Amino acid sequence: MSVVFALTLLLAAVGVLLAGLALRWRNIVRREPRILLTGGGTGGHVNPALAIAEGIKGREPDARFLYVGVPGRAEEVIVRKAGYPLKLVSSQGFPGFRPSLLLAGFVVRLSWGVVRSLGILMGFAPRWVIATGGYVSAPIVLAAVMLRGLRLAPVCIFIHEQNSVPGQLNAVLGRWADRVFLTFPQSLAHFPENGVVVGYPVRHAITVKSREEALAALPFAVPEGRRVIFVFGGSQGARTINRALVDALKDFIVHRERLFIIHGMGLGGSEDYQPRRDTEERLNALFSEGDKRLLDTFYYRQDYFHNIGDVYAVSDLIVCRSGAGSLNEISRLGKPALLVPKANLPGDHQVMNARAMKQAGAAEVLFEDTVVEGGKVLEKLEGPLLARRVLELLDDPGRLTEMRNKSRGFFRRQADARILSELYQDHSYDNGLGPEPVNLSPLLSNQRLLRLLEQEYQKNPGAYDPLAAVGDADDLVYYRHRAAALLTRGSWQERNLGVKLVGLTHDRQKVPALCHMLRDRTPVSPLKRLLGGDFEQVGFIRRNIVTAFRVMGEFGPAVEEAVLQALEDPYYEVRAEACRTAAHFGTRLAGKEQWLEALLQRFRDDCFEVAMEAVKAVGEIGTDGRALEALLELHENFFWQIRDAALIAIRRLLERRVIPPSQEILDRVDRFNLTAPDFRPTFSIREHYGAIRQVCDGANRGRRAPREMSLGSF
């Protein structure tokens, strides 16, 4: 009884404590406005929260704020610089539902983040939780939902979704929010009950100001009369943009008297890439000390611009990613832009943003490419191409003026006021759907695109045209870039998908990358080898690369060499596909001794499927009696499929007129064993034997009676 009594007292004490905390929370909510902000990872998630906070302070100057983020991300720098108190919890991006160590790590980190968030919420007792997305906001929102479900927290939950297609966590968490603030009308389909279109809140510092006022506020001098280009890859930086700009400086340096380039390198960093260090190393490698002194006259770089509004104000052209945050800031100031969208993000939101802004006439788009460099397949933006596109726009003042005018009307205005209307429920704004969105056809996901193209290809491979299947030339250009970007991914499944799509979109510019991947013999880890792996570019990838060459109709010298090597590949499906590809391009290989010898060696392959395809290929490339003799020697091969393939190949030699039909050939063909171990209503081997007789009988009619074929032969 003493144990039961002790447990009862403990539960009672916990109940009293929780009731006291809940009462304290309610008293604080009635007494003073406390708002908890969360969201981050990138400036595109942090800045909307800060813009909303500015709007709240305008109405309630005494409001208290607390920002919750994760360690090592953009909010650690941006929020502290803005002067808001910051607390950190653990969280990480959702890796998908597939069981893995990453998924286990996600669950552990998120769970600990929720526990930490429960304590933060109970201690701070906010009136509102305002989350602006990213995995950073998940622990706080989950904790707030739990406390509200237990009737311990009189808190309202608001989520702002910046993208047209919500992230996975926002799509789930939004179900429990009081309101989901949306940037795009298209997003209402994901939140039909509690979604409201408000636009993207922009910080008050991002406002129209004179060039002279902005120049005076900058920590560096811009010489008079210069055209200013502002290049950045978001708050975290973008490797491809940073490196492309450094490479482009070689082309810009001759225009240094009329240009000034401002470069935001980014706050981010990882084990394999530190924006500032990488930029400095690249500058030192490409430029002499004398050239670097010239660069200092027209090129300024910095990790991050907290006064980015001033940099925008002095800029004539902006080169950046196409996240919703950057585009809303650009649109608010009416700045022309050259956009470099990041491919293969959820919902392709950056590409959709860039397409919409381009169609509206407010921007131009430049896609990253996939290249082989330093023995690796990498995403890259070519510096000379970037320089050329920038100079073309600067030399077209009419186009820049048009882009400025179109930019100003692109996104919805007064987003901060619309959000405040929803927070305070004062109906000061009618937050309807807003202006009619730009009418763009939705982009297909990679998997849906693959199904579409495969279906069209299978209908008529010879007449297949990816443009006819896709229906839009601009979309096909993007699909090619998106497919090529998959070739750089760490997951072999994604690289395999990319290989298939590169072939089906006929992206022949990626042939060098495919050849490199086909020949790549980087070994897998010992653990993967124990599980049956061989190389990083797994057998499925190597096989599908060979298939892609055939789908594209591409068989230049580099491809020919790679496919010839593939005949020796350790994976049998690669060898078999190489034989099929040799047969497909038989007219180009006919008479090449190296190919004939390689295929004849495959007659003795350990896998009968490979031997069968090699036999058929000899029928397509053979040009003399040597090929015929090798085929006739297969008349008693153990596998009937190989005997059948030999008859097919002999028929092709006859049809190609490599050998003339004759009685001697008939006599040799008569030696073939036409039986098979399994019962079938018809046997292709008999049909192919009959076809050879028919060809030869046309030249030797009446010389020999047809060989009797009875049911006993089965």
Side-chain angles (χ1 to χ4, degrees):
M1 291 295 293
S2 59
V3 174
V4 173
F5 182 70
L7 288 174
T8 302
L9 284 179
L10 178 62
L11 291 174
V14 171
V16 171
L17 176 62
L18 292 177
L21 289 173
L23 180 62
R24 169 184 171 273
W25 197 326
R26 289 182 174 85
N27 289 334
I28 290 175
V29 167
R30 283 194 294 267
R31 189 173 64 247
E32 61 177 311
R34 297 186 179 185
I35 294 91
L36 189 147
L37 308 169
T38 184
T42 67
H45 291 300
V46 177
N47 291 325
L50 300 182
I52 294 171
E54 289 175 352
I56 294 172
K57 284 196 295 186
R59 289 207 182 188
E60 298 184 270
D62 296 331
R64 288 182 58 189
F65 294 90
L66 175 64
Y67 203 108
V68 178
V70 298
R73 304 299 291 174
E75 55 269 26
E76 270 205 283
V77 176
I78 299 174
V79 173
R80 284 183 172 140
K81 181 72 174 179
Y84 292 93
L86 174 70
K87 290 191 175 183
L88 304 174
V89 299
S90 66
S91 186
Q92 70 180 53
F94 180 56
F97 290 104
R98 184 179 180 183
S100 65
L101 292 176
L102 286 176
L103 180 59
F106 165 78
V107 172
V108 170
R109 291 179 67 84
L110 179 61
S111 299
W112 177 241
V114 170
V115 171
R116 173 92 171 109
S117 297
L118 288 169
I120 291 173
L121 286 167
M122 296 297 291
F124 186 62
R127 175 205 296 171
W128 299 327
V129 168
I130 301 175
T132 52
Y135 62 83
V136 174
S137 61
I140 281 288
V141 175
L142 285 172
V145 169
M146 292 168 59
L147 291 173
R148 196 165 66 172
L150 294 171
R151 299 183 182 278
L152 298 175
V155 63
C156 293
I157 301 171
F158 301 96
I159 293 176
H160 186 273
E161 175 56 60
Q162 293 87 42
N163 300 308
S164 58
V165 178
Q168 291 174 308
L169 290 175
N170 266 7
V172 174
L173 299 176
R175 300 174 185 176
W176 294 295
D178 294 273
R179 279 282 189 276
V180 180
F181 304 137
L182 305 174
T183 302
F184 297 94
Q186 302 93 305
S187 307
L188 277 172
H190 299 278
F191 307 102
E193 301 295 329
N194 58 353
V196 57
V197 181
V198 297
Y200 185 99
V202 177
R203 292 164 292 168
H204 294 172
I206 311 296
T207 186
V208 177
K209 60 175 65 175
S210 70
R211 186 183 180 95
E212 291 72 22
E213 181 185 358
L215 285 170
L218 291 176
F220 53 91
V222 177
E224 188 176 352
R226 300 285 184 91
R227 309 293 296 280
V228 177
I229 306 106
F230 179 29
V231 182
F232 69 104
S235 62
Q236 299 303 287
R239 182 192 331 229
T240 53
I241 294 177
N242 286 342
R243 290 182 173 180
L245 177 58
V246 173
D247 295 347
L249 290 173
K250 288 185 174 182
D251 296 278
F252 288 138
I253 200 167
V254 298
H255 301 276
R256 61 185 179 276
E257 298 298 331
R258 67 185 183 107
L259 301 179
F260 193 87
I261 298 168
I262 304 173
H263 181 192
M265 295 176 290
L267 296 167
S270 61
E271 291 183 3
D272 65 333
Y273 181 67
Q274 296 287 335
R276 170 174 284 278
R277 184 179 66 194
D278 185 82
T279 299
E280 297 298 335
E281 289 176 352
R282 202 170 186 88
L283 285 166
N284 291 331
L286 293 178
F287 296 96
S288 66
E289 291 301 319
D291 284 339
K292 282 191 284 187
R293 285 192 292 272
L294 291 178
L295 291 181
D296 291 340
T297 66
F298 76 101
Y299 169 60
Y300 178 83
R301 59 195 177 276
Q302 187 172 304
D303 292 345
Y304 183 79
F305 293 93
H306 294 280
N307 61 331
I308 197 170
D310 295 321
V311 182
Y312 282 146
V314 303
S315 299
D316 296 286
L317 177 67
I318 296 168
V319 180
C320 64
R321 291 291 196 202
S322 51
S326 297
L327 297 196
N328 273 275
E329 291 174 352
I330 291 170
S331 175
R332 180 169 184 170
L333 301 179
K335 293 293 180 177
L338 177 59
L339 304 176
V340 187
K342 180 67 176 174
N344 288 300
L345 294 177
D348 267 322
H349 61 265
Q350 284 211 9
V351 176
M352 293 297 290
N353 294 345
R355 292 170 76 217
M357 206 160 184
K358 178 183 178 181
Q359 185 160 324
E364 294 290 338
V365 178
L366 183 60
F367 289 112
E368 295 164 331
D369 203 357
T370 302
V371 300
V372 178
E373 191 172 272
K376 296 181 179 180
V377 180
L378 303 171
E379 283 185 282
K380 185 177 183 180
L381 181 61
E382 296 290 348
L385 175 61
L386 174 63
R388 178 169 59 82
R389 292 291 297 274
V390 166
L391 293 172
E392 286 174 352
L393 286 170
L394 291 178
D395 290 338
D396 189 350
R399 176 69 179 125
L400 287 179
T401 299
E402 178 189 15
M403 292 167 71
R404 289 189 194 98
N405 295 335
K406 298 289 187 181
S407 180
R408 290 190 182 96
F410 187 66
F411 279 106
R412 197 170 199 193
R413 304 285 171 172
Q414 303 298 327
D416 51 352
R418 297 176 193 278
I419 290 172
L420 293 177
S421 173
E422 295 294 332
L423 292 174
Y424 290 99
Q425 287 294 295
D426 58 7
H427 306 291
S428 56
Y429 265 93
D430 176 17
N431 291 320
L433 293 180
E436 188 71 21
V438 177
N439 185 24
L440 286 173
S441 59
L443 290 170
L444 298 175
S445 68
N446 285 322
Q447 291 292 349
R448 288 184 61 191
L449 177 64
L450 178 64
R451 287 195 295 270
L452 169 68
L453 297 181
E454 283 181 336
Q455 290 170 0
E456 292 300 314
Y457 179 78
Q458 289 165 5
K459 288 178 183 177
N460 188 350
Y464 171 73
D465 179 8
L467 178 56
V470 170
D472 185 280
D474 288 339
D475 286 355
L476 179 59
V477 169
Y478 169 63
Y479 287 142
R480 285 172 172 166
H481 284 283
R482 190 176 71 181
L486 292 174
L487 302 181
T488 68
R489 296 302 178 89
S491 163
W492 73 262
Q493 292 92 341
E494 289 186 285
R495 296 199 304 276
N496 191 41
L497 176 60
V499 166
K500 293 179 181 179
L501 289 172
V502 165
L504 287 165
T505 57
H506 285 187
D507 189 0
R508 294 182 174 87
Q509 292 184 353
K510 298 301 166 289
V511 165
L514 295 183
C515 288
H516 171 81
M517 293 172 68
L518 182 57
R519 293 191 297 260
D520 185 7
R521 290 296 181 265
T522 303
V524 296
S525 65
L527 176 60
K528 290 182 179 179
R529 187 169 290 276
L530 285 174
L531 297 174
D534 53 6
F535 305 114
E536 286 295 337
Q537 306 300 347
V538 300
F540 296 138
I541 290 178
R542 304 196 301 270
R543 176 200 63 195
N544 290 328
I545 288 173
V546 179
T547 304
F549 293 145
R550 190 167 72 248
V551 170
M552 289 190 285
E554 183 65 34
F555 207 71
V559 173
E560 181 179 338
E561 179 183 355
V563 175
L564 183 62
Q565 293 177 9
L567 289 173
E568 303 289 340
D569 195 278
Y571 185 44
Y572 79 94
E573 288 195 27
V574 181
R575 301 195 302 274
E577 195 64 16
C579 292
R580 294 186 193 100
T581 301
H584 181 79
F585 294 106
T587 55
R588 304 188 194 185
L589 300 178
K592 292 191 175 184
E593 181 66 23
Q594 188 180 19
W595 274 94
L596 179 61
E597 182 62 33
L599 290 170
L600 291 178
Q601 289 180 8
R602 296 272 67 84
F603 281 21
R604 298 182 295 275
D605 199 281
D606 293 337
C607 175
F608 91 90
E609 180 183 340
V610 177
M612 179 179 67
E613 297 299 337
V615 168
K616 292 179 184 177
V618 166
E620 300 297 336
I621 76 166
T623 56
D624 54 31
R626 183 182 174 194
L628 176 63
E629 286 299 323
L631 296 171
L632 290 170
E633 288 175 4
L634 300 173
H635 64 281
E636 288 188 346
N637 191 279
F638 177 79
F639 296 103
W640 74 265
Q641 294 95 333
I642 292 180
R643 285 180 265 125
D644 186 29
L647 292 174
I648 293 172
I650 292 170
R651 179 184 176 184
R652 285 295 297 141
L653 291 177
L654 290 167
E655 291 173 343
R656 292 173 50 228
R657 299 185 179 182
V658 172
I659 54 174
S662 68
Q663 186 62 45
E664 181 183 358
I665 291 176
L666 278 178
D667 291 341
R668 298 285 297 277
V669 168
D670 278 345
R671 299 178 188 176
F672 270 77
N673 180 358
L674 303 182
T675 62
D678 52 344
F679 177 80
R680 295 175 179 230
T682 60
F683 283 96
S684 60
I685 190 170
R686 286 185 167 276
E687 295 174 355
H688 297 137
Y689 165 77
I692 292 174
R693 288 203 61 90
Q694 187 176 7
V695 172
C696 291
D697 282 345
N700 303 285
R701 192 173 304 278
R703 294 185 182 180
R704 181 180 176 92
R707 179 177 175 180
E708 182 180 353
M709 291 182 284
S710 64
L711 288 176
S713 299
F714 290 90

